Amino acid sequence: AMAQPPALTEWDLEGFCARHGVPARLHPLDVPTPTVPDAAKAVGTEPARIVKSLVFMAREEPLLVVAAGESRVSYPALATVLGVSRKQLRFATPDEALLITGFRVGAMPPFGHRVELPTWLDALTVPETGSVFAGGGGVSALLELDAAVLHEVTGGRRVPLTRADEA
């Protein structure tokens, strides 16, 4: 097997922002924030302002979905948007996500990955304005940026991808 390069960290993400002039602020945290409520509490915001970046595989090609709060991505909705069958769509494993993006699951930022991923933003949950907090590249960091900047930097397309009632 190929040797896995070392994981990227919050410093790599900060470097990406600096190189590309992305106005974003890294918040180092005292504690890891594995869940959306934990993250919201750590930075003093509501869960709806926490955006999670999720790696999916469609026909074995990676893509990124950004959704906010405690929403769940609807596989049928995503498959339809991508023009693939539900069977051709799956969630990337943590190892795959790390290999593809360079970042660990639980610290996944919305950009700054090893490769640029086609990105979809959930129109139902991702705010269009105001501050949002995304994965900061390290398990004890969050990235604060304006929602408009998130849209611009990811080049993400806004589509409805979540269902609040899917537990």
Side-chain angles (χ1 to χ4, degrees):
M2 280 176 56
Q4 169 80 285
L8 299 175
T9 68
E10 55 265 47
W11 311 121
D12 295 293
L13 181 61
E14 201 168 47
F16 174 91
C17 290
R19 285 193 307 280
H20 294 88
V22 178
R25 190 156 76 94
L26 198 68
H27 290 264
L29 306 172
D30 297 333
V31 290
T33 55
T35 70
V36 165
D38 290 339
K41 198 172 153 192
V43 290
T45 193
E46 65 251 340
R49 292 264 157 206
I50 304 291
V51 298
K52 50 199 175 187
S53 304
L54 309 166
V55 182
F56 286 86
M57 308 296 287
R59 294 188 178 136
E60 296 306 300
E61 290 294 318
L63 66 126
L64 195 75
V65 171
V66 179
E70 295 183 90
S71 59
R72 298 278 178 132
V73 172
S74 160
Y75 281 81
L78 183 56
T80 300
V81 161
L82 296 171
V84 301
S85 76
R86 170 64 189 87
K87 284 188 176 134
Q88 293 171 312
L89 179 67
R90 63 182 178 83
F91 202 46
T93 67
D95 283 347
E96 285 171 330
L98 176 59
L99 193 63
I100 290 159
T101 67
F103 291 100
R104 294 182 198 286
V105 170
M108 189 65 66
F111 48 72
H113 311 127
R114 287 213 167 99
V115 292
E116 251 187 80
L117 296 176
T119 302
W120 304 84
L121 303 169
D122 176 41
L124 301 176
T125 62
V126 178
E128 290 193 68
T129 57
S131 275
V132 291
F133 296 82
V139 289
S140 297
L142 286 173
L143 190 71
E144 181 181 4
L145 70 168
D146 192 88
V149 173
L150 173 70
H151 286 89
E152 190 184 341
V153 179
T154 60
R157 283 159 287 185
R158 278 181 77 86
V159 286
L161 288 175
T162 57
R163 287 180 47 182
D165 62 354
E166 284 193 323

